[in-house]
Structures are given as structure tokens and as C-alpha cells.
Amino acid sequence: MEYKSSDSGNYALHKSEFVSTASFPGNLTDEAAERLYPVSGSLEISEFRRFGLYLSFLRLMRLRGRTDLSVDSIAAETGIQCNQVEEDLMGHGLILAGQKAVHISSLMAVLEQMLGYCNETESFLAGAGKLGTSLLLKENLGQTSLKIVAAFDTDYRKIGSLIGSIRVMSPDKIIPLAARMHVSLGIIATPAGEASHVADLLAGAGMKAIWNFTAENIDPGPGIIVEQTRPGQDIAAAYERIIHRLRSQAVH
């Protein structure tokens, strides 16, 4: 069982697909949008929409293995004028005058802070087998305040089934759900040999931290917090370490 996207990792980006995974639905009025998505800091509502588009595109590009991205490509793929992209990023000190490229992970981290995307109490779970079911039913995570809000598995026999109150979905739903729910933590409870691939998928979806319950070592890339928990280790203490590191990361 291998975790793959619906197109085996080749995420073709079309504007209609891109908008559908943006954090700010385009059919909302400014008044409704402000109620649903309160603006963080000095962002205006119109800026909040555009910055959500930038962030979604950056996440997709990082998932495809990119580390740097040109300002022109951000403009082309989001459908926003290049001078507007430059004005947005320069106006908030995110690029310098004349700068033509950005570092994806660094810009993502700043945009997530600006947009207020920091959810410490909800998580995604990859792997709905015996261990994943145990975590979903709070047999272990009951020691913490963490709630699993979505579960994913590639086994067609599990997809669509309910474990407790959580429906199991295909992993190709991770990216659009992460874009809308702003979950910061992904949990891996997959069979042996799959953790590394799943970690890359979660990192590409924008997870700031990954809690690995498998025996496999993972390296999802720079800036991603990794906590590895083995059977018998203190779950509550591990969760506290994750929260401490997430909060420390948010203020630096």
C-alpha cells in the first residue's frame, strides 16, 4: 500500500482546481469573509484573499519538490498581475525591490503566520489500520487535548468507512482539506515502509509538525517539526514537546 496522489505525484495546476483549494472561497462577500476568516495583523480582506492563493500555490510547488519560485510564476499561476504580487510581497517586507525569486518554505512560514493559520488542537491521521484506529478512538491520544479531525488510507476497503465519528478518506483529499482547515499537525500510523512518502505528502500539504508513530525514520525537509513516538513512550509528554516547538517556531 503506497500513498500517492491521484495523478501519481504529478500535480497539474489548473486555475479552477487552484481556486477550489484556496483558503478563501471566492463566492463570499467581504462582510461574510471577515466573519469566517478574521484578518491577522494589518492585512486587508482583499489582501487576505490573494495571500491565501499565494500560500496554496507555494504548498503545491513544495510538494512537487521545488525549493525556489519566481515571482512571475506566482503571478501566472494565480492569475494575479505580476505588479500586484510584487506590491503585496514588498509592502509587507517579504521581498526586496527587484527581487525575482522567493524561497518557498521561508515564504510559506511567514504567510501562514500572517494569515493566522496555527491550529494546535486538531490533526490529520495517515493510516487507518490497527494503530490508527487506536489513536482515532482515543485509546492513546486521550492523554492529550489533541483531536483527529480527518483520517486517510489508500486501502479501498477502508475508504468511506467510519471509525468512531471520523470517515476515512483517500490521501488525495489531504491537500484541499489542509488548505481549508489550516491543520498544523499530521500523524503517521502507516505500515512499515510508507512513513517517508506520507511525511513528504503531509509536508507538501502545509503541516508544520509531523508526529510519527512508526519505526521508520522520516526527514520531511527543513522547518518541519518531527516527533517520533515508540510503543510504551509517554504520549502526553511527546505532545507537549510538539506544542512547545510549534509555539517557539511561531514567534521566531
Side-chain angles (χ1 to χ4, degrees), residues 41-238:
S42 60
L43 287 181
E44 302 291 338
I45 287 294
S46 58
E47 288 181 312
F48 195 81
R49 287 195 180 100
R50 295 194 300 272
F51 279 47
L53 291 174
Y54 302 154
L55 180 57
S56 294
F57 179 54
L58 290 168
R59 284 173 172 170
L60 287 175
M61 292 300 100
R62 187 172 73 173
L63 183 62
R64 296 176 70 176
R66 298 285 297 274
T67 57
D68 298 284
L69 202 59
S70 72
V71 174
D72 286 344
S73 63
I74 295 174
E77 295 295 347
T78 59
I80 298 170
Q81 292 293 325
C82 189
N83 61 350
Q84 180 65 69
V85 176
E86 291 177 342
E87 181 181 328
D88 285 342
L89 299 182
M90 285 179 59
H92 290 275
L94 304 179
I95 63 172
L96 301 173
Q99 183 175 334
K100 296 301 181 183
V102 298
H103 183 262
I104 291 176
S105 294
S106 298
L107 183 55
M108 277 178 57
V110 176
L111 291 180
E112 285 167 348
Q113 290 183 40
M114 293 176 68
L115 293 167
Y117 294 176
C118 189
N119 184 343
E120 299 176 350
T121 59
E122 295 180 336
S123 65
F124 284 177
L125 171 73
K130 183 177 180 180
L131 174 57
T133 297
S134 172
L135 296 172
L136 276 166
L137 297 178
K138 285 284 191 175
E139 294 174 18
N140 290 308
L141 290 180
Q143 303 173 40
T144 75
S145 60
L146 186 65
K147 179 182 179 182
I148 295 172
V149 294
F152 306 90
D153 202 287
T154 54
D155 188 338
Y156 71 92
R157 295 168 297 183
K158 295 188 175 81
I159 294 172
S161 65
L162 285 173
I163 301 178
S165 61
I166 302 298
R167 191 171 300 279
V168 179
M169 294 175 283
S170 170
D172 62 9
K173 304 294 185 185
I174 290 177
I175 291 173
L177 275 178
R180 291 196 292 270
M181 298 176 72
H182 317 310
V183 172
S184 300
L185 173 60
I187 296 174
I188 299 178
T190 59
E194 298 180 10
S196 182
H197 180 79
V198 174
D200 291 341
L201 180 58
L202 291 171
M207 299 294 123
K208 298 182 181 69
I210 296 177
W211 196 351
N212 182 19
F213 281 85
T214 77
E216 184 179 347
N217 293 322
I218 61 173
D219 181 14
I224 309 292
I225 296 165
V226 175
E227 179 70 32
Q228 186 135 11
T229 298
R230 310 282 185 175
Q233 291 183 329
D234 190 329
I235 299 280

